[in-house]
Each structure stands twice: as structure tokens, then as C-alpha cells.
Amino acid sequence: MKLFWVLLIFLKISFVKSQNRTCGMGFTLVLDKCLIVFDDGFPHSYAEQSECVTMYGGTLVNIHNAIENRAVSEFAISKNLETFWIGAFCFSNQTSSCYSDDYSGPLKYSNFHKGYPLIEKPSNGCVSMLTKGGQAGRWINSDCQKSYLSFICELPSIIINPAYSNCHDKFNGFCYLHGFGNMDYAESYCQQNNGTVMSIQSQMENTFVQYRLVTEWILLGAKRVFQNSYAWADGTPWGAFDNRNPVDRSLETLDCLVFYQLNGFWERTDCSLKQDFYCKIPLEPKVEDSKCNSTMLMAPTEISSGDGPCTWQLVTPGAYPITIYFTEMANGTTVELYDVNMQLSQEIKQSGVYFDAKTNILNVAHDGVGSFKAVAKAQTYHD
């Protein structure tokens, strides 16, 4: 009984948190998920490649905790579903061998019926949920090809922001704004629209781009800084999700990346080539971000003083040295600039000045005394 009340309280809290979120395209908001039912019977393999993916860019519903399990179960019951596919697959009878369809790795939560998972052959590792009687919310595994079940499709919910009510393409807290031009133009255009050239941070987002943005080639907001390493324009770490084509035949001297809609891979491209791009604009109110203690932070970018001592490693593609412009600086503030070998190059003590680095890497340090704001750009941006 105590667990029931804990679940109920958390459900109420979760629904309150979701009041600033919504769904589109006929989806229903459940906690922070957008869900839609496909109630005809389908084998699991079809469900994974159905309109859920090709039309919406979604996945089978994924369940990560008891709160979500209860909410999804109640949603399914309200839609008169009996047993339905969920986004999980098991390779053996051990729950540690069960993985989520959203590419988040092994399941951290499960709610299998007693005796499950029971994997007797490779094809029956697909997971479904029961909704009837005392077993409602429990999971079992079924044959992926021979079992025909309903399924629930999931998308991230959309943050409500009246300023972007006309944005056509929204996903997981961002508006995707289309443009056309080379990388220099794309960076400038996106900054003017409070965003950055699109980065892709997960397989789910990659699927969304492939099936929802429906543009054959899309310039990505990544530039090469070393032989096999790139930096995202929005400052997110490179490598958390990397979907480059392993047999990319484009010239190795090309420093930008382009998304290929046909297969979802990223390939090398010429930064000066004019092509389609998307600005990725946060829908939540912008929070001041000092980017304190960042490494491989791609210019153009803005940095500012944090709550204490901070360092920044600013980078641009190899051919372009960095210039840093100091737009604001309080009295008594000192910012130290170091070259790629960590040799002190300059101390900055006032605003309205800039410094031209000699290479594509500039290290910046602030001891936490005073405050400042600065903008870093590639030197090709000079007027």
C-alpha cells in the first residue's frame, strides 16, 4: 500500500511537470512522453519499421522506471489494448541481457512476469506488456515474427514556447529551422535566430532527422579540428553519438559533415558548399551559460565568467586561427590567454579589445575575480 501512494504522488508530480509540454500529430501526452496507439496486430519487426519510424521518427514505447510503467499501462488500458509490444529485446533468460530500443543500453528497469524472460530461440526475445487482471503492467517475451500484437509509438514531448508556435519541426526541446547556404552563412543565420547549426546527439534524434526533416543532404554543425575529431557548434561534446559513414569515400581534406537522408549516415563535405541546413533552437528560455571548464569548444561561441575559476579550450578547423573579442569586462578582472603549448600569450584587463591567436587552439583562463563576456570566432570572420 505504501508503494501505491508513493507511485501516486510521483505520478501527480510528473503530470505537473508536464504542464509546459504538449504533443502534436494526434499523440497523447503521458508524463513527459508523447504516445500514439497502433491497434492492429503486427509482428515486432514490422512495428519497429512502421509509420512510427518512417512517418513520425519515433520508437516503440520505452519504459525506464515504475512510474512510466504504470502510466503506460494505464494509457494502454484506456485504449483497450490487451497485450502490446514495447521497446525492449532480450538475448537470454537474464534481465541483464535485455536492451532498450532507444539505444540507451541494457535495461535499468524491468517488470517481467514470473518466469520471464524465457528465451527458447533467438526469435522470441521481443518484449510485450500485459494489461489484463492482476498481471496488468507485467512484461513477457514473444516470438518477434509470429506474434501479432498492437504497439505504442513514442516521441519526446514538445516544450510549449509561444515565440515558436509557428515552428513546423520540433523535437525534444528544440525547434528545427530550415535554411540554405554554406557553413559561414549557416552559423551567422542560426546565431541571429538564437540557435546553432544542427548537432545530432542520439540515435533517436538521428531517426527524427532522417524521417521528419526529409531533406536529402543536410549540413551539420560540426567542423573537424583534428585528423579524426570534430567539434559541435553548440558546444556539446563530440563522440557521445557518432554516426559517420565508416566507408565514407569523400575527400579526407574536407572539414565539415553532411547528413545523408537515404541511410542516416554522416559524410565529409566542403564547408564552402551551399546546401540545406537546420538551425537547432532551444525552446526553453535561454539560461546564461558560461561554458566554464569546456574543452574542444568550437568557435563561433560565447563564453563568460562563472561562479569561480574557469578555463576554456577554444578551437576552430585547422586552417583558421581564432580571434577572441571581449565585449564586457568589470573593473579588476583579468583574463589570461594561452597558446596551444600553454604558454601565456596575453593578459586582458578591459573590454572592447580583441586578440588574434596564431593557431586554431586558444586556451583561456579566469581566476574567478570580476566578470567578463567574450565572443570567439575564426579569423575568416574579420571585416
Side-chain angles (χ1 to χ4, degrees):
M1 180 62 71
K2 182 178 180 181
L3 177 60
F4 170 80
W5 287 110
V6 170
L7 287 172
L8 184 61
I9 291 170
F10 271 105
L11 277 170
K12 288 183 177 179
I13 293 173
S14 298
F15 278 115
V16 170
K17 287 171 60 180
S18 299
Q19 286 179 355
N20 69 332
R21 292 176 176 265
T22 188
C23 299
M25 301 180 294
F27 281 71
T28 300
L29 183 65
V30 177
L31 301 182
D32 285 341
K33 299 174 180 286
C34 291
L35 305 181
I36 193 170
V37 167
F38 290 78
D39 55 7
D40 293 330
F42 301 99
H44 189 275
S45 56
Y46 172 84
E48 286 189 309
Q49 298 299 323
S50 67
E51 296 96 317
C52 178
V53 175
T54 59
M55 183 182 297
Y56 301 118
T59 65
L60 294 182
V61 63
N62 289 274
I63 298 171
H64 298 109
N65 54 56
I67 306 297
E68 290 185 359
N69 196 75
R70 182 182 180 90
V72 170
S73 174
E74 291 182 351
F75 173 73
I77 292 170
S78 74
K79 299 296 183 180
N80 298 314
L81 300 186
E82 293 189 3
T83 305
F84 61 95
W85 297 120
I86 63 175
F89 183 89
C90 298
F91 291 93
S92 75
N93 296 343
Q94 305 299 317
T95 56
S96 59
S97 76
C98 301
Y99 285 73
S100 174
D101 275 8
D102 63 2
Y103 296 87
S104 60
L107 296 181
K108 297 180 176 63
Y109 167 83
S110 64
N111 194 38
F112 283 100
H113 190 287
K114 185 177 180 180
Y116 289 88
L118 181 60
I119 310 301
E120 298 172 334
K121 54 183 179 179
S123 64
N124 72 343
C126 294
V127 180
S128 56
M129 181 188 286
L130 305 172
T131 63
K132 295 295 184 180
Q135 302 307 319
R138 292 291 185 180
W139 304 359
I140 61 172
N141 60 277
S142 306
D143 192 294
C144 303
Q145 303 298 330
K146 296 181 180 179
S147 298
Y148 283 67
L149 303 176
S150 304
F151 65 92
I152 295 177
C153 179
E154 172 186 343
L155 282 176
S157 56
I158 300 169
I159 295 172
I160 298 172
N161 186 333
Y164 294 98
S165 59
N166 294 325
C167 177
H168 181 264
D169 297 302
K170 298 176 182 177
F171 181 82
N172 201 24
F174 293 90
C175 167
Y176 293 74
L177 176 66
H178 179 259
F180 185 85
N182 61 22
M183 179 59 86
D184 286 353
Y185 175 80
E187 289 176 331
S188 175
Y189 179 79
C190 291
Q191 283 186 335
Q192 292 171 14
N193 286 280
N194 301 315
T196 55
V197 188
M198 181 177 68
S199 67
I200 298 179
Q201 299 299 320
S202 67
Q203 179 61 52
M204 197 170 185
E205 185 176 14
N206 204 76
T207 300
F208 163 81
V209 173
Q210 183 176 6
Y211 290 104
R212 285 288 306 283
L213 299 187
V214 196
T215 303
E216 186 175 11
W217 298 95
I218 302 174
L219 182 65
L220 296 177
K223 289 182 181 177
R224 186 170 62 172
V225 290
F226 296 117
Q227 180 63 31
N228 197 39
S229 183
Y230 291 75
W232 289 114
D234 60 10
T236 52
W238 174 261
F241 176 72
D242 183 350
N243 206 43
R244 284 178 291 171
N245 189 339
V247 291
D248 187 354
R249 293 183 173 84
S250 304
L251 293 175
E252 294 185 2
T253 55
L254 301 176
D255 288 328
C256 286
L257 292 175
V258 66
F259 181 96
Y260 185 29
Q261 190 265 341
L262 182 64
N263 56 23
F265 280 138
W266 314 342
E267 300 184 1
R268 292 184 292 271
T269 190
D270 187 342
C271 298
S272 65
L273 181 65
K274 292 182 178 181
Q275 48 195 320
D276 292 285
F277 65 85
Y278 281 85
C279 303
K280 191 172 174 180
I281 305 169
L283 292 174
E284 289 186 302
K286 186 175 181 180
V287 177
E288 190 71 32
D289 181 11
S290 69
K291 302 183 177 71
C292 181
N293 298 327
S294 295
T295 58
M296 300 284 288
L297 185 59
M298 170 68 78
T301 189
E302 298 179 5
I303 63 173
S304 60
S305 48
D307 294 330
C310 291
T311 61
W312 301 262
Q313 184 186 58
L314 306 175
V315 299
T316 62
Y320 306 112
I322 292 177
T323 295
I324 185 168
Y325 303 82
F326 290 87
T327 57
E328 297 180 22
M329 186 166 291
N331 291 335
T333 303
T334 299
V335 177
E336 297 176 337
L337 306 179
Y338 294 84
D339 65 17
V340 64
N341 298 312
M342 292 306 297
Q343 298 297 310
L344 181 64
S345 299
Q346 187 80 30
E347 288 187 345
I348 306 296
K349 298 178 181 289
Q350 65 183 52
S351 62
V353 299
Y354 67 88
F355 175 79
D356 287 332
K358 295 180 179 180
T359 68
N360 68 323
I361 298 177
L362 178 65
N363 295 289
V364 182
H366 177 233
D367 60 8
V369 177
S371 62
F372 78 95
K373 290 185 179 180
V375 177
K377 296 186 177 184
Q379 288 181 22
T380 53
Y381 282 79
H382 276 186
D383 295 329

Coordinates of all heavy atoms in Angstrom, one line a residue, residues 143-202:
D143 N 7.4 -14.3 -29.7 CA 8.1 -14.5 -31.0 C 8.0 -13.2 -31.8 O 6.9 -12.7 -32.1 CB 7.5 -15.7 -31.7 CG 8.3 -16.1 -32.9 OD1 8.4 -15.3 -33.9 OD2 8.9 -17.2 -32.9
C144 N 9.1 -12.7 -32.2 CA 9.2 -11.4 -32.9 C 8.4 -11.5 -34.3 O 7.9 -10.5 -34.7 CB 10.6 -11.0 -33.2 SG 11.6 -10.9 -31.7
Q145 N 8.4 -12.7 -34.9 CA 7.8 -12.8 -36.2 C 6.4 -13.3 -36.2 O 5.6 -12.9 -37.0 CB 8.7 -13.6 -37.1 CG 10.2 -13.2 -37.2 CD 10.3 -11.8 -37.9 OE1 9.4 -11.4 -38.7 NE2 11.3 -11.0 -37.5
K146 N 6.2 -14.3 -35.3 CA 4.9 -15.0 -35.4 C 3.8 -14.4 -34.5 O 2.6 -14.7 -34.7 CB 5.1 -16.5 -35.0 CG 6.0 -17.2 -36.0 CD 6.2 -18.6 -35.7 CE 7.1 -19.4 -36.7 NZ 7.4 -20.8 -36.3
S147 N 4.2 -13.6 -33.5 CA 3.2 -13.0 -32.6 C 2.8 -11.6 -33.2 O 3.6 -10.8 -33.6 CB 3.8 -12.7 -31.3 OG 4.2 -14.0 -30.7
Y148 N 1.5 -11.5 -33.4 CA 0.9 -10.3 -34.0 C 0.2 -9.5 -32.9 O -0.8 -9.9 -32.3 CB -0.1 -10.6 -35.1 CG 0.6 -11.0 -36.4 CD1 1.3 -12.2 -36.5 CD2 0.5 -10.2 -37.5 CE1 1.9 -12.5 -37.7 CE2 1.1 -10.5 -38.7 CZ 1.8 -11.7 -38.8 OH 2.5 -12.1 -39.9
L149 N 0.8 -8.3 -32.5 CA 0.3 -7.6 -31.4 C 0.2 -6.1 -31.8 O 0.8 -5.6 -32.7 CB 1.3 -7.7 -30.2 CG 1.6 -9.1 -29.6 CD1 2.7 -9.0 -28.5 CD2 0.4 -9.8 -29.2
S150 N -0.6 -5.4 -31.0 CA -0.6 -3.9 -31.1 C 0.7 -3.3 -30.6 O 1.5 -4.0 -30.0 CB -1.8 -3.3 -30.3 OG -3.0 -3.9 -30.7
F151 N 0.9 -2.0 -30.8 CA 2.1 -1.4 -30.3 C 1.8 0.1 -30.0 O 0.9 0.6 -30.6 CB 3.3 -1.6 -31.1 CG 3.3 -1.0 -32.5 CD1 3.8 0.3 -32.7 CD2 2.7 -1.6 -33.6 CE1 3.8 0.9 -33.9 CE2 2.7 -1.1 -34.8 CZ 3.2 0.2 -35.0
I152 N 2.6 0.7 -29.2 CA 2.6 2.1 -28.9 C 3.8 2.7 -29.3 O 4.9 2.3 -29.1 CB 2.4 2.3 -27.3 CG1 1.0 1.7 -26.9 CG2 2.5 3.8 -27.0 CD1 0.8 1.9 -25.4
C153 N 3.7 3.8 -30.1 CA 4.8 4.6 -30.6 C 5.1 5.8 -29.7 O 4.1 6.4 -29.1 CB 4.4 5.1 -32.0 SG 5.7 6.1 -32.8
E154 N 6.3 6.1 -29.5 CA 6.7 7.2 -28.6 C 7.6 8.2 -29.3 O 8.4 7.9 -30.1 CB 7.6 6.6 -27.4 CG 8.2 7.6 -26.5 CD 9.1 7.0 -25.5 OE1 9.1 5.8 -25.2 OE2 9.9 7.8 -24.9
L155 N 7.3 9.5 -28.9 CA 8.1 10.6 -29.3 C 8.4 11.4 -28.1 O 7.6 11.4 -27.1 CB 7.4 11.5 -30.3 CG 7.4 11.1 -31.8 CD1 6.6 12.1 -32.6 CD2 8.8 11.0 -32.3
P156 N 9.5 12.2 -28.0 CA 9.6 13.1 -26.9 C 8.6 14.2 -26.9 O 8.1 14.6 -28.0 CB 11.0 13.7 -27.1 CG 11.7 12.8 -28.1 CD 10.6 12.2 -28.9
S157 N 8.2 14.7 -25.8 CA 7.2 15.8 -25.7 C 7.8 17.1 -26.2 O 9.0 17.2 -26.3 CB 6.6 15.9 -24.3 OG 7.6 16.1 -23.4
I158 N 6.9 18.0 -26.5 CA 7.3 19.3 -27.1 C 7.2 20.4 -26.0 O 6.1 20.5 -25.4 CB 6.5 19.7 -28.3 CG1 6.7 18.6 -29.4 CG2 6.9 21.0 -28.9 CD1 5.7 18.7 -30.5
I159 N 8.2 21.2 -25.8 CA 8.1 22.3 -24.8 C 7.3 23.4 -25.4 O 7.5 23.8 -26.6 CB 9.5 22.8 -24.5 CG1 10.3 21.7 -23.7 CG2 9.4 24.1 -23.6 CD1 11.8 22.1 -23.5
I160 N 6.3 23.9 -24.7 CA 5.5 25.0 -25.1 C 6.2 26.3 -25.0 O 6.6 26.7 -23.9 CB 4.2 25.0 -24.3 CG1 3.4 23.7 -24.5 CG2 3.3 26.2 -24.7 CD1 2.2 23.6 -23.6
N161 N 6.4 27.0 -26.2 CA 7.0 28.3 -26.2 C 6.3 29.1 -27.2 O 6.4 28.9 -28.4 CB 8.5 28.2 -26.5 CG 9.2 29.5 -26.4 OD1 8.6 30.6 -26.6 ND2 10.5 29.5 -26.2
P162 N 5.4 30.1 -26.8 CA 4.6 30.8 -27.8 C 5.4 31.5 -28.8 O 4.9 31.7 -30.0 CB 3.9 31.8 -26.9 CG 3.8 31.2 -25.5 CD 5.1 30.4 -25.4
A163 N 6.7 31.8 -28.5 CA 7.5 32.5 -29.5 C 7.8 31.7 -30.7 O 8.1 32.2 -31.8 CB 8.8 33.0 -28.9
Y164 N 7.7 30.3 -30.6 CA 7.9 29.4 -31.7 C 6.7 28.6 -32.0 O 6.8 27.4 -32.4 CB 9.1 28.5 -31.3 CG 10.4 29.3 -31.2 CD1 10.9 29.6 -29.9 CD2 11.2 29.6 -32.3 CE1 12.1 30.4 -29.8 CE2 12.3 30.3 -32.1 CZ 12.8 30.7 -30.9 OH 14.0 31.4 -30.8
S165 N 5.5 29.2 -31.8 CA 4.3 28.4 -32.1 C 4.2 28.1 -33.6 O 3.5 27.1 -33.9 CB 3.1 29.3 -31.7 OG 3.1 30.5 -32.4
N166 N 4.8 28.8 -34.5 CA 4.8 28.5 -35.9 C 5.9 27.6 -36.4 O 6.0 27.3 -37.6 CB 4.8 29.8 -36.7 CG 3.6 30.7 -36.5 OD1 2.5 30.2 -36.3 ND2 3.7 32.0 -36.5
C167 N 6.7 27.2 -35.5 CA 7.8 26.3 -35.9 C 7.2 24.9 -36.3 O 6.5 24.3 -35.5 CB 8.8 26.1 -34.7 SG 10.1 24.9 -35.1
H168 N 7.5 24.5 -37.5 CA 6.9 23.3 -38.1 C 7.6 22.0 -37.5 O 6.9 21.0 -37.3 CB 7.0 23.3 -39.6 CG 6.4 22.1 -40.3 ND1 7.2 21.0 -40.6 CD2 5.2 21.8 -40.6 CE1 6.4 20.1 -41.2 NE2 5.2 20.6 -41.2
D169 N 8.9 22.0 -37.3 CA 9.6 20.8 -36.9 C 10.2 21.0 -35.5 O 11.1 21.8 -35.3 CB 10.8 20.5 -37.9 CG 10.3 20.3 -39.3 OD1 9.5 19.3 -39.5 OD2 10.6 21.0 -40.2
K170 N 9.6 20.3 -34.6 CA 10.0 20.3 -33.2 C 10.3 18.9 -32.7 O 9.7 18.0 -33.0 CB 8.9 20.9 -32.3 CG 8.6 22.4 -32.6 CD 7.4 22.9 -31.8 CE 7.0 24.3 -32.2 NZ 5.8 24.8 -31.4
F171 N 11.4 18.8 -31.9 CA 11.8 17.5 -31.3 C 12.6 17.7 -30.0 O 13.6 18.5 -30.0 CB 12.6 16.8 -32.3 CG 13.1 15.4 -31.9 CD1 12.2 14.3 -32.0 CD2 14.3 15.2 -31.4 CE1 12.6 13.1 -31.6 CE2 14.7 13.9 -30.9 CZ 13.9 12.9 -31.1
N172 N 12.1 17.1 -29.0 CA 12.8 17.0 -27.7 C 13.4 18.4 -27.2 O 14.6 18.5 -26.9 CB 14.0 16.0 -27.9 CG 14.5 15.5 -26.5 OD1 13.7 15.5 -25.6 ND2 15.7 15.0 -26.5
G173 N 12.6 19.4 -27.2 CA 13.0 20.7 -26.6 C 13.6 21.6 -27.6 O 14.1 22.7 -27.2
F174 N 13.6 21.3 -28.9 CA 14.2 22.2 -29.9 C 13.3 22.4 -31.1 O 12.5 21.6 -31.4 CB 15.5 21.6 -30.4 CG 16.6 21.5 -29.4 CD1 16.8 20.4 -28.6 CD2 17.5 22.6 -29.2 CE1 17.8 20.3 -27.6 CE2 18.5 22.5 -28.3 CZ 18.6 21.4 -27.5
C175 N 13.4 23.6 -31.7 CA 12.8 23.9 -33.0 C 13.9 23.8 -34.0 O 15.0 24.2 -33.8 CB 12.2 25.3 -32.9 SG 11.8 26.0 -34.6
Y176 N 13.5 23.2 -35.1 CA 14.5 23.0 -36.2 C 14.1 23.9 -37.4 O 13.0 23.7 -38.0 CB 14.5 21.5 -36.7 CG 15.1 20.6 -35.6 CD1 14.3 20.3 -34.5 CD2 16.4 20.1 -35.7 CE1 14.9 19.4 -33.5 CE2 16.9 19.2 -34.8 CZ 16.1 18.9 -33.7 OH 16.6 18.1 -32.7
L177 N 14.9 24.9 -37.6 CA 14.6 26.0 -38.6 C 15.4 25.8 -39.8 O 16.7 25.8 -39.8 CB 14.8 27.4 -38.0 CG 14.6 28.6 -38.9 CD1 13.2 28.7 -39.3 CD2 15.1 29.8 -38.2
H178 N 14.8 25.7 -41.0 CA 15.5 25.4 -42.2 C 16.1 26.6 -42.8 O 15.6 27.7 -42.7 CB 14.5 24.8 -43.3 CG 15.1 24.5 -44.6 ND1 15.0 25.3 -45.7 CD2 15.9 23.5 -45.0 CE1 15.6 24.8 -46.7 NE2 16.2 23.7 -46.3
G179 N 17.3 26.4 -43.4 CA 18.0 27.5 -44.2 C 18.8 26.9 -45.3 O 18.9 25.7 -45.5
F180 N 19.5 27.7 -46.1 CA 20.3 27.3 -47.2 C 21.5 28.2 -47.4 O 21.3 29.4 -47.4 CB 19.4 27.3 -48.5 CG 20.2 26.7 -49.7 CD1 20.2 25.3 -49.9 CD2 20.9 27.5 -50.6 CE1 20.9 24.8 -51.0 CE2 21.6 27.0 -51.6 CZ 21.6 25.6 -51.9
G181 N 22.7 27.6 -47.4 CA 23.9 28.3 -47.6 C 25.1 27.5 -47.2 O 25.0 26.4 -46.8
N182 N 26.3 28.2 -47.2 CA 27.5 27.5 -46.7 C 27.6 27.6 -45.2 O 26.7 28.2 -44.6 CB 28.7 28.0 -47.5 CG 28.9 29.5 -47.2 OD1 28.5 30.0 -46.2 ND2 29.7 30.1 -48.1
M183 N 28.7 27.0 -44.7 CA 28.8 26.9 -43.2 C 28.9 28.3 -42.6 O 28.2 28.6 -41.6 CB 30.0 26.1 -42.8 CG 30.2 26.0 -41.3 SD 28.8 25.3 -40.4 CE 29.2 23.5 -40.6
D184 N 29.6 29.2 -43.2 CA 29.7 30.6 -42.6 C 28.4 31.2 -42.6 O 28.0 31.8 -41.5 CB 30.7 31.4 -43.5 CG 32.1 31.1 -43.3 OD1 32.4 30.2 -42.4 OD2 33.0 31.6 -44.1
Y185 N 27.6 31.1 -43.6 CA 26.3 31.7 -43.6 C 25.4 31.0 -42.6 O 24.6 31.7 -41.9 CB 25.6 31.6 -45.0 CG 24.2 32.1 -45.0 CD1 23.9 33.5 -45.1 CD2 23.1 31.2 -45.0 CE1 22.6 33.9 -45.1 CE2 21.8 31.6 -45.0 CZ 21.6 33.0 -45.0 OH 20.3 33.4 -45.0
A186 N 25.4 29.7 -42.6 CA 24.6 28.9 -41.6 C 24.8 29.3 -40.2 O 23.9 29.5 -39.4 CB 24.8 27.4 -41.8
E187 N 26.1 29.5 -39.8 CA 26.4 29.8 -38.5 C 25.9 31.2 -38.1 O 25.3 31.4 -37.0 CB 28.0 29.8 -38.3 CG 28.5 28.4 -38.2 CD 30.0 28.4 -38.1 OE1 30.7 29.3 -38.6 OE2 30.6 27.4 -37.6
S188 N 26.0 32.2 -39.0 CA 25.6 33.5 -38.8 C 24.0 33.5 -38.7 O 23.4 34.2 -37.8 CB 26.0 34.4 -39.9 OG 25.5 35.7 -39.8
Y189 N 23.4 32.8 -39.7 CA 21.9 32.8 -39.7 C 21.3 32.2 -38.4 O 20.4 32.7 -37.9 CB 21.5 32.0 -40.9 CG 20.0 31.9 -41.1 CD1 19.2 32.9 -41.6 CD2 19.3 30.7 -40.7 CE1 17.9 32.8 -41.8 CE2 18.0 30.5 -40.9 CZ 17.2 31.6 -41.4 OH 15.9 31.5 -41.6
C190 N 21.9 31.1 -38.0 CA 21.4 30.4 -36.8 C 21.7 31.3 -35.5 O 20.8 31.3 -34.6 CB 22.1 29.0 -36.6 SG 21.6 27.9 -37.9
Q191 N 22.8 31.9 -35.4 CA 23.0 32.8 -34.3 C 22.0 33.9 -34.3 O 21.5 34.3 -33.2 CB 24.4 33.4 -34.4 CG 25.5 32.4 -33.9 CD 26.9 33.1 -33.9 OE1 27.1 34.1 -34.5 NE2 27.8 32.5 -33.1
Q192 N 21.6 34.5 -35.4 CA 20.6 35.5 -35.5 C 19.3 35.0 -35.0 O 18.4 35.8 -34.6 CB 20.5 36.1 -36.9 CG 21.7 36.8 -37.4 CD 21.7 37.2 -38.8 OE1 20.6 37.1 -39.5 NE2 22.8 37.6 -39.4
N193 N 19.0 33.7 -35.1 CA 17.8 33.1 -34.7 C 17.9 32.4 -33.4 O 17.1 31.5 -33.1 CB 17.3 32.2 -35.8 CG 16.7 32.9 -37.0 OD1 15.6 33.4 -37.0 ND2 17.6 33.1 -38.1
N194 N 18.9 32.7 -32.6 CA 19.0 32.2 -31.2 C 19.3 30.7 -31.2 O 18.9 30.0 -30.2 CB 17.8 32.5 -30.4 CG 17.5 34.0 -30.3 OD1 18.4 34.8 -30.0 ND2 16.3 34.4 -30.5
G195 N 20.0 30.2 -32.2 CA 20.3 28.8 -32.3 C 21.7 28.6 -32.8 O 22.5 29.5 -33.0
T196 N 22.0 27.3 -33.1 CA 23.2 26.9 -33.7 C 22.9 25.9 -34.8 O 21.9 25.3 -34.9 CB 24.2 26.2 -32.7 OG1 23.5 25.1 -32.1 CG2 24.6 27.2 -31.6
V197 N 23.9 25.7 -35.7 CA 23.7 24.8 -36.8 C 23.6 23.4 -36.1 O 24.2 23.0 -35.2 CB 24.9 24.8 -37.8 CG1 24.6 23.9 -39.0 CG2 25.2 26.2 -38.2
M198 N 22.7 22.6 -36.7 CA 22.2 21.4 -36.0 C 23.3 20.4 -35.6 O 24.1 20.0 -36.5 CB 21.2 20.7 -36.9 CG 20.6 19.4 -36.4 SD 19.3 18.7 -37.5 CE 20.4 18.2 -38.9
S199 N 23.3 20.0 -34.4 CA 24.0 18.8 -33.9 C 23.0 17.7 -33.8 O 21.8 17.9 -33.7 CB 24.7 19.1 -32.6 OG 23.8 19.3 -31.6
I200 N 23.5 16.4 -33.7 CA 22.7 15.2 -33.5 C 23.3 14.5 -32.4 O 24.5 14.1 -32.4 CB 22.6 14.4 -34.8 CG1 22.0 15.2 -35.9 CG2 21.9 13.1 -34.5 CD1 21.9 14.4 -37.2
Q201 N 22.5 14.3 -31.3 CA 23.1 13.8 -30.0 C 22.6 12.4 -29.7 O 23.0 11.8 -28.7 CB 22.6 14.7 -28.9 CG 23.2 16.1 -29.1 CD 24.7 16.2 -29.1 OE1 25.4 15.5 -28.3 NE2 25.3 17.0 -30.0
S202 N 21.8 11.7 -30.5 CA 21.3 10.4 -30.2 C 20.8 9.7 -31.4 O 20.5 10.3 -32.4 CB 20.2 10.4 -29.1 OG 19.0 11.0 -29.7

